[in-house]
Every structure is written in C-alpha cells, then in structure tokens.
Amino acid sequence: MPLVTTTEMFKKAYNGGYAVGAFNVNNMEIVQGITEAAGELKSPVILQVSKGARAYANHTYLVKLVEAAVAENPDIPIALHLDHGDSFELCKSCIDGGFTSVMIDASSKSFEDNIALTKQVVEYAHAHGVVVEAELGTLAGIEDEVVVESGKESYTRPEEVEEFVSRTGCDSLAIAIGTSHGAYKFTAEQCTRNEEGILVPPPLRFDVLEECMKKLPGFPIVLHGSSSVPQEFVKMVNQYGGNMPDAVGIPEEQLRKAATLAVCKINIDSDIRLAMTGNIRKYFAEHPDHFDPRQYLKPARQAVKDMVAHKIKYVLGSDGKI
Ligand code: G3H
Ligand code: 13P
Ligand code: ZN
C-alpha cells in the first residue's frame, strides 16, 4: 500500500487500546531497522523527520528512503510525518514534498498565536489530504532550537484543549504530562534512586491525561519525549568509552498504560540513538582494526530493529494491528 495518513491508524489504536510508534529517521540504517521490525510484526508505524534530520540528510533522500521501505513492506501502513515543524513554510514544504502528516509545534507561543499558526497549517494541510498534529503545553528538554530546563516545563491545561482543537481543526494533540525530550529527562533531584543507584523518575501525570480525555472523547493524543533510555544501552555506552552518567527515561509500564488510554502516538528518538551508539562503541572496542562502515553499521541497524520490535510488542501493543 502507498504511504498513509494517521487517520485510520489512530481510530484503530484508540478503539483497540494500543499506540502507534513514531520513530525519528535520519539515515538508511535507521529506516531499515524500524521498518524491518514493523514489517515482521505486522505493525503500523510512523516514520518522522525533524527539521534537523532534513538539514542533515536532505528532504529528497529521506523521502526516497521511506518510499523504499514502503515498497519493501507493502502489507503495513506507514505514515511519513514532520516532527516539530516550527513554521508554516516548513510544514508547507513537507506537505508539497510527499509527507502525509505534519506537526506544527507552536507550543512555545501564546495560546492565541498557537491557535492562529496551527489553523493556518491545518487549512493548507487538509486541502492537500495531509493531517496535522499540534501541541499544547511544554515539555522539558531540547526540541530543535528551543531548550526548556527540567523543572521549567508546563503541563497541558485540560481546560484549554477543547477550545484549541475546535478552533484549529487539528487532527491530533501532543500534550505535556511529564515526559521530556532527550536522554536526561529528569534531574537527580526530581528522582529517587533504586538499590542499584539507578535514578527512578517521578510518575507521569495521568490525572492530566484523563482530564484531557474527558474534554476530548475519542480524540487521539500524542506523547513526545517517550524514550525509556534503556539502562542496558547506557551501560554499554559507558563501558566502551562513553560518558552518560544519570541518563534516565520514561518507564515502559507507564507508556504501556498511556497506550491503553487516549494516547495513539508515542514518539521515540533517543532510544534509537542509544541503541546505535552503544553497539557502535562496543564494535569499535572489540574490533579496533576494522574500518568498513558496513561492519559497524550492521550491528547498529540490528540493535535498532531489536529495540523497535521490543517496543511494538511490550510497550505500544501494535503488533498484528494492520
Ligand atoms: O524531539 C526532537 C527529536 O528527538 C528530533 O531531534 O531535532 O535533533 O533531529 P533533532
Ligand atoms: P525522545 O527524546 O524521548 O526519544 O523523544 C523523541 C520525540 O519526542 C521526537 O519528537
Ligand atoms: Zn518531540
């Protein structure tokens, strides 16, 4: 099947109590690792491209890689999504250039300015058969050029979501309930420590999610900043010459719970980076004489595939849902 929008995916996910994974893609190995896992598990999947990814790999290369993945996996629904679009022009360029979904992230603007920009993108996108994700509330962490310190984030205000959605006409809404971008989602002060000294983060604000669900029955909610920062990868990075002390993510069981509620799209990027970096570091340490990129990118691609397969089966619950 050709690239799809997220409309059908989200309807099925909402009613089925699971979520679709939205994984960031920056090169061929990442596209292959994600879609091989989704293809084998018969799972829908969203491949998302950030402004930074476009600057790194070039729009056309990324679209062609995704088209190749669609051709190789004809049975599964694949959507191509712009992650954190920050202007009308960027969204328009992706809509005109073959994306089936865009995010306009005006969450750092005032409520009224967020509505005005989102509405402008929605009008153009819908006229071209493309769906739009918007955001209310701010996450901690780094989103392209916007940096929000841990503790300075603001949760979504449930009393605003209904007006926002009805005035903008957006198709899904990213909300802030305590997730955060990057591999350092919480400061040590925000966490407790377990017996092994590993940081245990504060729980997500399910009360905020449930309030938003009540205001928007049946409407798909999106969670950004949802990497779990698996400690096996952090240990691997640190064991083979890296230095990532106190990297911490969102516990998988909390994401699983969110997926059974209104959360239909769960964004994962940092876990891909960790899986690749841990395995490449290990490979270099064990094979100091190797220099063919295919040698070290092969285990990195396999690690992405295994990690995505784990998420699909045990976190998202989207296996077999095509
Ligand atoms: O939320 C941000 C994503 O992880 C994309 O990151 O802007 O470095 O490509 P990036
Ligand atoms: P992570 O940094 O938790 O992987 O979040 C990715 C994301 O939200 C992309 O938009
Ligand atoms: Zn994000």
Side-chain angles (χ1 to χ4, degrees):
M1 71 181 85
L3 276 173
V4 298
T5 72
T6 53
T7 308
E8 231 9 72
M9 279 184 191
F10 288 170
K11 214 178 279 171
K12 286 175 74 178
Y14 197 103
N15 294 330
Y18 63 92
V20 180
F23 299 96
N24 286 70
V25 296
N26 290 281
N27 67 15
M28 182 188 77
E29 286 75 13
I30 296 176
V31 172
Q32 289 177 330
I34 296 163
T35 53
E36 281 175 19
E40 283 174 21
L41 291 168
K42 305 277 177 245
S43 169
V45 72
I46 298 164
L47 301 177
Q48 56 186 12
V49 168
S50 69
K51 185 177 166 181
R54 267 174 118 233
Y56 170 74
N58 169 303
H59 177 95
T60 310
Y61 279 90
L62 289 169
V63 170
K64 295 295 170 195
L65 284 172
V66 170
E67 284 173 3
V70 168
E72 288 293 319
N73 297 278
D75 308 339
I76 59 163
I78 301 178
L80 174 55
H81 173 76
L82 168 65
D83 190 28
H84 294 288
D86 61 356
S87 67
F88 175 78
E89 291 69 31
L90 174 56
C91 292
K92 179 178 183 301
S93 164
C94 290
I95 293 164
D96 295 344
F99 284 43
T100 56
S101 173
V102 294
M103 175 189 195
I104 176 67
D105 180 359
S107 59
S108 59
K109 298 188 187 300
S110 71
F111 186 66
E112 285 301 325
D113 289 351
N114 189 351
I115 288 181
L117 181 52
T118 301
K119 195 164 181 281
Q120 187 191 9
V121 172
V122 167
E123 278 164 11
Y124 189 81
H126 285 183
H128 293 80
V130 170
V131 291
V132 179
E133 173 186 325
E135 179 167 334
L136 259 187
T138 47
L139 273 67
I142 305 166
E143 292 173 12
D144 276 321
E145 289 104 36
V146 182
V147 182
V148 181
E149 257 177 69
S150 278
K152 299 266 166 64
E153 67 278 21
S154 55
Y155 298 115
T156 302
R157 291 153 56 92
E159 61 273 25
E160 290 182 346
V161 298
E162 209 178 346
E163 180 184 350
F164 184 85
V165 168
S166 70
R167 284 179 61 195
T168 60
C170 67
D171 303 279
S172 60
L173 184 67
I175 63 169
I177 59 165
T179 60
S180 162
H181 287 105
Y184 301 91
K185 298 196 183 297
F186 304 98
T187 61
E189 295 73 50
Q190 291 175 301
C191 301
T192 52
R193 281 188 198 270
N194 69 14
E195 321 73 66
E196 293 160 48
I198 306 286
L199 293 178
V200 179
L204 296 181
R205 289 287 303 272
F206 281 99
D207 57 322
V208 175
L209 171 59
E210 276 159 18
E211 280 305 307
C212 291
M213 285 174 68
K214 275 188 214 149
K215 305 273 183 193
L216 295 171
F219 193 79
I221 299 295
V222 177
L223 280 192
H224 280 248
S226 294
S227 278
S228 293
V229 186
Q231 291 303 306
E232 64 181 283
F233 297 142
V234 176
K235 275 191 198 143
M236 205 185 268
V237 167
N238 290 337
Q239 183 182 346
Y240 295 104
N243 183 24
M244 297 189 70
D246 285 348
V248 63
I250 310 295
E252 289 185 346
E253 58 281 6
Q254 293 194 35
L255 296 168
R256 182 75 209 100
K257 178 175 169 185
T260 65
L261 301 170
V263 172
C264 295
K265 173 173 179 273
I266 290 187
N267 283 13
I268 295 164
D269 186 6
S270 298
D271 287 354
I272 296 172
R273 299 176 182 195
L274 285 165
M276 293 191 85
T277 302
N279 279 279
I280 290 172
R281 281 192 175 281
K282 180 171 187 280
Y283 191 90
F284 282 149
E286 289 172 354
H287 307 277
D289 55 327
H290 286 187
F291 66 98
D292 180 343
R294 292 172 298 188
Q295 291 171 314
Y296 56 84
L297 289 173
K298 201 170 167 184
R301 176 174 59 190
Q302 184 64 41
V304 171
K305 180 176 175 180
D306 294 345
M307 185 276 290
V308 171
H310 173 86
K311 301 275 180 196
I312 288 173
K313 283 196 275 188
Y314 303 111
V315 180
L316 302 157
S318 63
D319 47 321
K321 302 292 199 308
I322 57 172

